[in-house]
């Protein structure tokens, strides 16, 4: 049964406990932070930060408020990263996340370029040899496949995060949106129910998606489609037809050649 | 009646025509090996049924081999230019010079190469229209391979994902274009019943006078005999 991560941005307090729990569980190295006038840090995902809280200021009806967005791999159902991965290091897991097997990854980085949300980050080991490993949130694949919740969910002090059956998550999210609307958050909505076949992260938003820096309608990358489903198959067909043409040519030429050859055979 | 062995010196003298200089042949074979390795190591990533070679440590080695071969791939024409500049520019110019004899070749090619019928096949220069087409494709895709290859090598993160993905698409289209011609090229020099002699030009540098007459008559008359008879 597919599960999902419930993320209620209306009660997230931006404490970043989830970031810390993630780093602890995955034993990730600390990274240098940058002071930009808010507590937002790090300012982007990287090979040592699989999740982070994005800070956005939002002004509506004369009031300014913070929008906190817990960010990380959205675990698409129609996952472009899985389709472009040449090693199957990335796979769709039936629990509802995209698993990542580090040993299988060869560092090509196609996933990092195909992702419509710009999530996977390469841990570059050597720029010249190209040696690298892809990194991303897997909902703590070792935990969730053993009936535990992701480390970030476990640690969240405001219960803004949850992890359970996707149906239940969606039902809770919808009820929550209704409540928020009654409370005056008229723009409240669910994000993730149908996007890209359904996301593993289901968000309760209190403002339009764009206010959070989320794409209103995320789309499967057209170039990935062109490359994988048109160009590559075309290559096989073209090579096959060429081979057939050459075989045809060989038989024709051989016939013409033998027509002009006389072979003398030795006595039996 | 019996026939006896003869001295080499008394047999009819064989006339050979120099087609490719040493430097040209070295450049050609470096290009050949680099291309083959690039193709092999690239296909591991392209083709799902070769996945076993693309996974983990093996995949890292495959990708490294692709990079090493890319350097050799770039070095081959540079070597050609440095050690045989006149032939380099002559061949380059020839590839871009198309005239009515080339269209004549194209019109007669199938009958000639499949049925051995000369028809109205006009005499060809040092390179026939097919060889020119092959060379042109190699030249154009060389540029595309280098640009897109380096974007894919060093560009992750510094170019936009769209530029990266276009690079992959163009890299693959270049692969397809060159592979089709590579198949044809291999077939003609190594398998085609009537063309096997052409390969000695790349191994030994020479072909027999008869072969040159048959396949590169214009070149023989204009560039070989005229110089010899001067
Ligand atoms: C200067 C020359 C070249 C450079 C720098 C280059 C570089 C690259 C790079 C960086 C990749 C991405 C995978 C990776 O990161 O390891 C790649 C993929 C590939 N290359 Fe090249 N390459 C070159 C020439 C060629 C040639 C001549 C061929 C074949 C005839 C070739 C065939 C391929 C193929 C088939 C792929 C896989 C594409 C896919 O996944 O669909 N490359 N190359």
């Amino acid at each position: 049964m597919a599960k999902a991560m419930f993320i209620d941005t209306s009660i997230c307090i931006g404490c970043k406990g989830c970031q810390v729990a993630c780093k602890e569980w995955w034993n990730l190295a600390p990274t240098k932070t940058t002071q930009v006038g808010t507590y937002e840090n790090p300012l982007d995902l990287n090979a040592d930060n699989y999740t982070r809280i994005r800070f956005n200021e939002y002004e509506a009806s004369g009031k300014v408020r913070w929008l906190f967005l817990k960010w990380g791999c959205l675990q698409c159902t129609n996952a472009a990263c899985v389709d472009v991965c040449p090693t199957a290091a990335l796979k769709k897991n039936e629990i509802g996340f995209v698993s990542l097997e580090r040993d299988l990854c060869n560092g090509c980085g196609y996933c990092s370029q195909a992702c419509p949300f710009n999530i996977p980050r390469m841990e570059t080991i050597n720029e010249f040899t190209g040696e690298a490993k892809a990194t991303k949130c897997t909902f703590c694949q070792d935990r969730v496949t053993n009936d535990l919740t992701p480390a970030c969910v476990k640690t969240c002090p405001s219960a803004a995060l949850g992890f359970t059956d996707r149906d239940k998550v969606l039902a809770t999210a919808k009820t929550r949106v209704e409540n928020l609307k009654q409370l005056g958050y008229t723009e409240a909505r669910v994000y993730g129910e149908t996007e890209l076949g359904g996301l593993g992260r289901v968000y309760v938003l209190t403002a339009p998606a764009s206010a959070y820096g989320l794409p209103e309608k995320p789309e499967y990358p057209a170039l990935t489609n062109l490359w994988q489903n048109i160009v590559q198959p075309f290559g096989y067909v073209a090579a096959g037809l060429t081979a057939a043409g050459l075989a045809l040519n060989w038989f024709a030429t051989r016939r013409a050649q033998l027509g002009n050859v006389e072979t003398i055979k030795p006595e039996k | 009646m019996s026939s006896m062995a003869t001295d080499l010196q008394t047999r009819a003298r064989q006339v050979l025509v120099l087609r490719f200089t040493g430097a040209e042949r070295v450049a050609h074979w470096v290009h050949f090996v680099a291309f083959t390795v690039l193709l092999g190591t690239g296909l591991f990533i392209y083709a799902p049924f070769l996945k076993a070679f693309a996974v983990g440590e093996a995949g890292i080695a495959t990708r490294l081999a692709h990079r090493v071969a890319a350097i050799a791939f770039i070095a081959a024409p540079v070597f050609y230019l440095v050690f045989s500049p006149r032939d380099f520019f002559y061949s380059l110019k020839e590839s871009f010079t198309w005239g009515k004899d080339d269209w004549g070749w194209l019109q007669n090619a199938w009958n000639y190469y499949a049925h051995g019928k000369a028809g109205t096949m006009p005499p060809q220069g040092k390179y026939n229209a097919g060889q020119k087409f092959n060379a042109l494709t190699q030249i154009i895709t060389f540029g595309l391979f280098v640009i897109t290859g380096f974007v894919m090598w060093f560009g992750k993160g510094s170019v936009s994902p769209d530029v990266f993905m276009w690079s992959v698409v163009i890299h693959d289209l270049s692969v397809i274009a060159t592979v089709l011609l590579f198949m044809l090229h291999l077939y003609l020099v190594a398998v085609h019943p009537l063309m096997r002699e052409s390969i000695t030009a790349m191994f030994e540098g020479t072909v027999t006078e008869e072969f040159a007459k048959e396949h590169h008559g214009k070149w023989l008359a204009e560039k070989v005999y005229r110089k010899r008879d001067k």
Side-chain angles (χ1 to χ4, degrees):
Chain A
M1 170 105 197
K3 298 191 174 184
M5 185 183 284
F6 172 77
I7 303 171
D8 188 344
T9 66
S10 71
I11 50 176
C12 171
I13 54 173
C15 73
K16 301 191 285 184
C18 51
Q19 292 183 198
V20 176
C22 176
K23 271 193 177 266
E24 282 197 330
W25 183 257
W26 290 97
N27 202 10
L28 300 173
T31 44
K32 216 172 155 46
T33 55
T34 322
Q35 176 55 270
V36 291
T38 74
Y39 287 116
E40 183 177 8
N41 252 313
L43 295 175
D44 197 1
L45 297 174
N46 58 49
D48 286 310
N49 289 282
Y50 303 161
T51 190
R52 72 184 196 97
I53 301 291
R54 284 162 59 162
F55 286 33
N56 282 289
E57 267 179 56
Y58 180 60
E59 195 181 331
S61 39
K63 273 204 311 204
V64 176
R65 54 195 170 90
W66 280 110
L67 303 178
F68 299 128
L69 185 74
K70 174 166 162 39
W71 192 234
C73 176
L74 292 107
Q75 327 285 356
C76 313
T77 299
N78 303 331
C81 60
V82 172
D83 297 342
V84 300
C85 180
T87 65
L90 290 167
K91 277 202 289 277
K92 233 8 243 183
N93 186 292
E94 60 198 2
I95 295 179
F97 66 94
V98 175
S99 63
L100 170 57
E101 264 173 275
R102 190 180 162 89
D103 287 353
L104 297 185
C105 175
N106 73 15
C108 75
Y110 290 169
C111 55
S112 70
Q113 304 300 308
C115 175
F117 296 105
N118 183 21
I119 298 292
R121 297 305 157 98
M122 302 311 292
E123 176 187 334
T124 305
I125 299 161
N126 184 322
E127 176 122 29
F128 282 91
T129 61
E131 195 177 348
K133 291 285 178 185
T135 67
K136 75 169 194 74
C137 160
T138 58
F139 279 177
C140 291
Q141 55 192 5
D142 48 349
R143 293 175 60 92
V144 295
T145 49
N146 287 294
D147 287 328
L148 296 171
T149 57
C152 57
V153 173
K154 174 107 177 138
T155 213
C156 181
S158 68
L161 302 180
F163 188 79
T164 183
D165 293 347
R166 195 158 193 279
D167 300 347
K168 282 193 208 147
V169 167
L170 281 170
T172 316
K174 281 173 185 164
T175 319
R176 186 66 194 140
V177 163
E178 286 316 307
N179 291 344
L180 283 165
K181 281 188 172 153
Q182 280 162 19
L183 289 170
Y185 293 97
T186 51
E187 295 164 318
R189 60 167 291 196
V190 177
Y191 188 91
E193 180 174 11
T194 54
E195 284 79 359
L196 291 160
L199 302 176
R201 285 177 193 248
V202 175
Y203 288 100
V204 171
L205 304 182
T206 60
S210 56
Y212 288 85
L214 285 168
E216 206 67 53
K217 267 200 173 23
E219 273 175 43
Y220 191 91
L223 285 171
T224 300
N225 202 25
L226 169 70
W227 165 42
Q228 299 253 299
N229 299 325
I230 298 171
V231 173
Q232 290 202 337
F234 165 73
Y236 292 116
V237 173
L241 289 176
T242 304
L246 295 180
L248 201 70
N249 180 280
W250 189 84
F251 283 110
T253 317
R254 192 76 182 131
R255 227 174 95 203
Q257 187 189 33
L258 290 178
N260 193 32
V261 169
E262 192 189 330
T263 310
I264 313 171
K265 294 195 173 132
E267 260 177 68
K268 281 261 164 68
Chain B
M1 203 186 82
S2 70
S3 113
M4 285 173 44
T6 53
D7 287 344
L8 176 60
Q9 284 76 7
T10 60
R11 289 179 223 159
R13 192 181 162 109
Q14 197 186 18
V15 181
L16 298 177
V17 181
L18 180 71
R19 229 173 118 61
F20 296 116
T21 64
E24 282 183 301
R25 282 175 276 150
V26 170
H28 174 270
W29 289 114
V30 173
H31 176 78
F32 172 83
V33 172
F35 182 87
T36 312
V37 173
L38 283 162
L39 178 58
T41 51
L43 279 186
F44 294 142
I45 297 175
Y46 183 112
F49 58 87
L50 295 171
K51 198 172 76 190
F53 298 94
V55 164
E57 292 296 323
I60 291 169
T62 302
R63 293 179 55 239
L64 177 58
H66 199 77
R67 282 152 172 74
V68 174
I71 303 301
F73 186 74
I74 294 169
V78 174
F79 181 91
Y80 189 4
L81 173 66
V82 170
F83 290 99
S84 210
R86 282 176 58 143
D87 299 294
F88 180 90
F89 287 111
Y90 178 75
S91 299
L92 199 63
K93 198 174 132 236
E94 282 287 286
S95 309
F96 283 93
T97 313
W98 287 69
K100 70 173 200 314
D101 289 349
D102 297 306
W103 305 122
W105 183 91
L106 287 170
Q107 274 161 10
N108 287 285
W110 179 259
N111 266 334
Y112 188 77
Y113 290 93
H115 305 298
K117 293 217 170 76
T120 55
M121 178 65 92
Q124 297 290 308
K126 180 163 183 186
Y127 305 106
N128 64 39
Q131 292 169 321
K132 286 185 196 178
F133 182 73
N134 188 32
L136 271 185
T137 312
Q138 292 289 342
I139 292 164
I140 294 164
T141 55
F142 178 82
L144 296 176
F145 274 130
V146 173
I147 294 167
T148 58
F150 278 100
V151 167
M152 289 153 81
W153 190 342
F154 295 110
K156 254 171 275 160
S158 35
V159 302
S160 75
D162 273 2
V163 170
F164 184 93
M165 277 300 171
W166 271 118
S167 298
V168 178
V169 168
I170 295 168
H171 207 77
D172 273 10
L173 288 173
S174 305
V175 171
I176 295 167
T178 48
V179 163
L180 300 186
L181 282 166
F182 188 50
M183 291 168 74
L184 181 61
H185 186 70
L186 284 182
Y187 169 76
L188 281 170
V189 299
V191 184
H192 191 284
L194 305 177
M195 296 305 297
R196 299 220 201 120
E197 195 188 333
S198 63
I199 206 169
T200 64
M202 260 322 155
F203 282 125
E204 285 134 43
T206 53
V207 288
T208 60
E209 196 179 16
E210 302 90 84
F211 182 88
K213 252 192 204 128
E214 172 67 30
H215 297 284
H216 303 282
K218 197 158 77 176
W219 173 68
L220 197 64
E222 291 175 8
K223 290 280 159 194
V224 184
Y225 287 158
R226 212 161 62 195
K227 196 167 162 220
R228 183 193 62 181
D229 300 339
K230 250 202 295 225

